[in-house]
Structure formats: structure tokens, C-alpha cells
Amino acid sequence: MMPTALSLLDLAPIATGQTARDSFEASVELARAAERSGYQRVWYAEHHNMATIASSATSVLIGYVAAHTESIKLGSGGIMLPNHSPLVIAEQFGTLATLYPGRIDLGLGRAPGSDQVTMRALRRDHLSAESFPQDVLELQGYLTGRTRISGVQSYPKPDGEVPLFILGSSLFGAQLAAQLGLPYAFASHFAPDALHQAVQVYRDTFTPSVQLSEPYVIAGVNVIAADTHEEAEDQKTRAYRNRTRAFITRGSVGQNFTDAEIDAFLASPNGQQLAQMTRYTAVGTPEEVRDYLEAFAASIRADELITAHHAEDVAARTRSVELTGAAMTAAAAA
């Protein structure tokens, strides 16, 4: 066992020249690699109106990957609950947990996972997030068979537990997770600023629950592991250029920007602000990545790290998953 549990956040990217179907097959390959390499779980995030991300129908993707893997836990990191009826999400994840018992997680966030226009197309408004705490409790009631809505139950109800996780990047999520006695996952892989303060608030105010007796912290971190440091740095440069293109063009491929133009933007004040979003990034050989992850986990006493691997090529991304898993397992056995 690894001293700090290791998990995978699959961003389900659609690379230039690839299709969504290619992305789904890559997700299966990554999940199988994580399963072989000792990872605890794989999560997929809900995004909308983004041409470069294939995980918009998150529960459907989870089911597809579950059918092509054997034992690894799979879930959402996360479902943006204000976009949905709690009853519908309970039905979806109750179905998944019935088909794949003991393997399904349900991570919940309150952001739209989209822009303002798409938010309206989802039939939510700017006040939708205000009911997030109540929606979490309603959803929890359906999944546990202790409904809070008289006369309404969720079917199918799985025999086992569908564990809930609160996702966040601010003190709000930390406080809610602590109040409800749920595990807390911080999105430090792209929103690092409040990480240490939020984790401290969560630990200081945690109230035990039926699901969880003591605090459990998951922290997101970016990883690019390769056989040589130079190879990893090259993969990082290419991956973060492409990420910047997608950000600038709001999710489209953005081939109209040259590498030189992207590098110039990243050197500007606005570009530096974007680059700071991924400051928690482990890059290098397996040993270098292991040392970074161990120090990062220790800095916040993380119980689990959820790693986002950013190499553009699927084979390189899979290799990064395998190298990181092997390095962390070897360190645990030493």
C-alpha cells in the first residue's frame, strides 16, 4: 500500500486531429494503466461546451470505463450538482453502483462547469448554486434510502454505499464538507491559492458522520513523468501551450496561435496569472516526481493525491501514469 493513496483525474481531452471516440478509448487505456499501477480511483469531470473535452456526459463515461476495467473505483470529480436534479443524479449513480457494486464514487461541485451562455442553456441561473448544500442532502437521502422528499424515492437503490465527496477550490467547500462529515477534494491542480487555508478549515471544523469518522483530504496535482527529465520538460511545454490555446479560445482547438505567440502570452502578466494556476506540477523522472508528490502531500497532510497527467500523446500520458504509480509503490515498499 502507498503511504498516501494515489488516484487519477482523467480530463478526457480530445487532441488535435482526434475524435471524441478516440478520447473514450484513451480513457479506458488510462484507467487500465491506473488499475495495474496501484491507483485507488479514477475521476472524470463534468464540462460543457468545450470542444477539447469529452466528459460532458460524465455518468455515461464512467459506465463505459467501468465495463472495460475490473476493480478500480470510478467516479465524478465532479458532477456539478446545480446543473441537475438531485433525483436524476441519484438515479444515474444508483444505476452505476448497482451494475458495478463497490466501485462507484460521487464527487460533487457547485460550479457550472461552463461559461455564462452555456449555463443558461443548461437551464440554470446565477442563483442555482445557492441551494447546493440542500441539494447535497437531498441527493444523500435518495442514495441512502432516507429520503428528505416525502413520497419520492430513487430507484434503483444499490445495496452498498455510493460515497459522496465534496469538491472545492475555496473555503465554502471546505466548510460544507466539514459540516456534513464528508471527504473533501481540493482542486489545487488548477486553483491552488486557497489550498492550505481550506484544508486547515476543513480539519479544524470537521464533524463525524455515518459515512466518515475523521477528516479525509484529497488534493489535486499535475504530473508529467517520463524516462528522462528532458523528455518530461518537453512534454510539459507542449501540453501547457495547448492548454493555453484552449483557454484563450474558450475550448476550441485554437490552431491560429503559433508556439511563439503562445510563449509571448505566457510571458505577459495575464499569461503569468494563467501559468500560476498550475503551479502544483510534478515534472521529471519517476524519482523526481515521487519526491515532489511526497513533499506536496506532507505539506497539507493529504490522505490522497489525485493526479492529472498532461502529456499530449496518449502513450506518453499512459507511461506517465505507470511511471508515477511504480515510483510511489516502490517508495512505500522501501
Side-chain angles (χ1 to χ4, degrees):
M1 293 293 293
M2 300 172 186
T4 301
L6 191 65
S7 293
L8 174 65
L9 176 63
D10 181 0
L11 300 174
I14 304 174
T16 302
Q18 301 293 306
T19 66
R21 181 57 186 256
D22 294 327
S23 175
F24 298 147
E25 296 309 316
S27 288
V28 169
E29 186 175 339
L30 283 174
R32 286 174 171 168
E35 192 170 62
R36 293 191 304 267
S37 303
Y39 287 65
Q40 179 138 324
R41 68 186 91 246
V42 183
W43 279 358
Y44 307 91
E46 176 188 345
H47 294 282
H48 299 282
N49 195 31
M50 298 187 71
T52 57
I53 295 180
S55 54
S56 55
T58 314
S59 60
V60 179
L61 179 56
I62 291 168
Y64 181 71
V65 177
H68 291 83
T69 50
E70 299 294 331
S71 59
I72 195 165
K73 293 181 180 179
L74 300 163
S76 59
I79 290 292
M80 299 297 105
L81 192 54
N83 292 345
H84 310 276
S85 154
L87 176 60
V88 169
I89 297 303
E91 291 169 342
Q92 290 177 4
F93 279 79
T95 299
L96 286 169
T98 299
L99 290 169
Y100 307 103
R103 295 184 59 197
I104 302 300
D105 296 334
L106 179 47
L108 301 168
R110 65 172 183 149
S114 62
D115 55 63
Q116 294 296 313
V117 175
T118 307
M119 186 178 76
R120 289 193 291 272
L122 288 165
R123 300 298 189 266
R124 62 173 286 178
D125 60 37
H126 67 284
L127 297 176
S128 300
E130 298 300 318
S131 64
F132 180 64
Q134 292 75 29
D135 289 346
V136 172
L137 290 172
E138 182 181 340
L139 173 59
Q140 188 178 51
Y142 292 136
L143 288 171
T144 58
R146 297 187 293 272
T147 182
R148 291 171 174 262
I149 307 299
S150 179
V152 180
Q153 298 284 352
S154 170
Y155 302 104
K157 181 185 176 301
D159 292 334
E161 178 188 40
V162 180
L164 301 184
F165 300 74
I166 299 297
L167 279 57
S169 57
S170 68
L171 299 187
F172 176 88
Q175 292 164 339
L176 180 62
Q179 178 185 344
L180 299 181
L182 295 175
Y184 180 51
F186 192 92
S188 37
H189 62 294
F190 76 90
D193 290 346
L195 170 63
H196 290 81
Q197 184 182 7
V199 168
Q200 191 62 51
V201 166
Y202 170 67
R203 292 191 184 280
D204 289 346
T205 61
F206 180 83
T207 301
S209 68
V210 173
Q211 179 177 325
L212 194 64
S213 60
E214 57 187 31
Y216 191 89
V217 172
I218 303 174
V221 58
N222 304 292
V223 174
I224 301 177
D227 292 293
T228 69
H229 183 86
E230 292 73 20
E231 182 183 357
E233 287 287 355
D234 179 63
Q235 290 178 11
K236 176 190 173 185
T237 297
R238 288 187 284 117
Y240 283 1
R241 279 174 178 161
N242 288 334
R243 175 181 177 275
T244 303
R245 285 189 180 94
F247 183 89
I248 292 172
T249 57
R250 296 184 180 274
S252 62
V253 175
Q255 294 182 3
N256 51 318
F257 292 102
T258 66
D259 287 349
E261 289 170 331
I262 292 296
D263 291 344
F265 172 77
L266 288 172
S268 71
N270 285 340
Q272 286 293 302
Q273 185 176 5
L274 178 62
Q276 280 297 306
M277 292 169 63
T278 54
R279 69 173 174 263
Y280 291 129
T281 299
V283 183
T285 65
E287 294 75 19
E288 290 171 326
V289 166
R290 177 203 63 212
D291 291 346
Y292 184 98
L293 294 181
E294 287 180 342
F296 176 69
S299 72
I300 52 169
R301 295 186 293 133
D303 300 287
E304 182 175 335
L305 297 180
I306 189 156
T307 57
H309 295 253
H310 288 284
E312 183 181 18
D313 178 74
V314 174
R317 203 155 64 244
T318 303
R319 180 68 172 158
S320 180
V321 168
E322 293 172 336
L323 290 173
T324 302
M328 295 294 280
T329 301

